[in-house]
Amino acid sequence: EAAETAIAASSDESLRVPCYCEENVWRLACRKLHHSSSTSKYFVVFVSSARKVVPMLYQRAMQSPRDVCWWDYHVILFEVDDSGRCYVLDVDS
């Protein structure tokens, strides 16, 4: 069911489930792999630290994009296109 809703979503942003970054990335990756005709490669990146605090800016969970959001971890998706350019995809930002 999650794969079906990810593929059927009207936009990448509409996939977002607040505070569930791993679910968001899974759904985004599923959508990209099923909708894309490009040969881009995708990588799921788990961001953490020994202290289990990760400061992130521009997070939708905050009122201002410049306010620091402190996650215990965060998961994002990298897209690398054919020319080697890397894009960070994060529906939480």
Side-chain angles (χ1 to χ4, degrees):
E1 182 178 322
E4 292 172 8
T5 60
I7 293 167
S10 61
S11 69
D12 292 348
E13 291 77 23
S14 67
L15 297 172
R16 182 174 180 262
V17 178
C19 300
Y20 287 94
C21 58
E22 63 276 20
E23 174 76 10
N24 293 335
V25 166
W26 184 90
R27 291 165 53 87
L28 183 59
C30 182
R31 181 179 171 80
K32 293 291 183 185
L33 291 171
H34 283 86
H35 278 175
S36 179
S37 61
S38 77
T39 56
S40 291
K41 295 179 182 173
Y42 296 93
F43 301 89
V44 174
V45 179
F46 186 90
V47 182
S48 188
S49 72
R51 293 184 178 202
K52 298 183 180 173
V53 289
V54 179
M56 303 290 278
L57 295 171
Y58 297 94
Q59 295 294 289
R60 292 173 65 183
M62 304 306 290
Q63 289 184 355
S64 170
R66 296 188 185 258
D67 289 344
V68 177
C69 185
W70 296 92
W71 297 113
D72 51 348
Y73 66 91
H74 197 55
V75 183
I76 56 178
L77 185 66
F78 282 2
E79 177 182 359
V80 180
D81 68 14
D82 293 335
S83 68
R85 289 189 199 112
C86 183
Y87 303 91
V88 178
L89 307 176
D90 179 13
V91 295
D92 288 308
S93 62

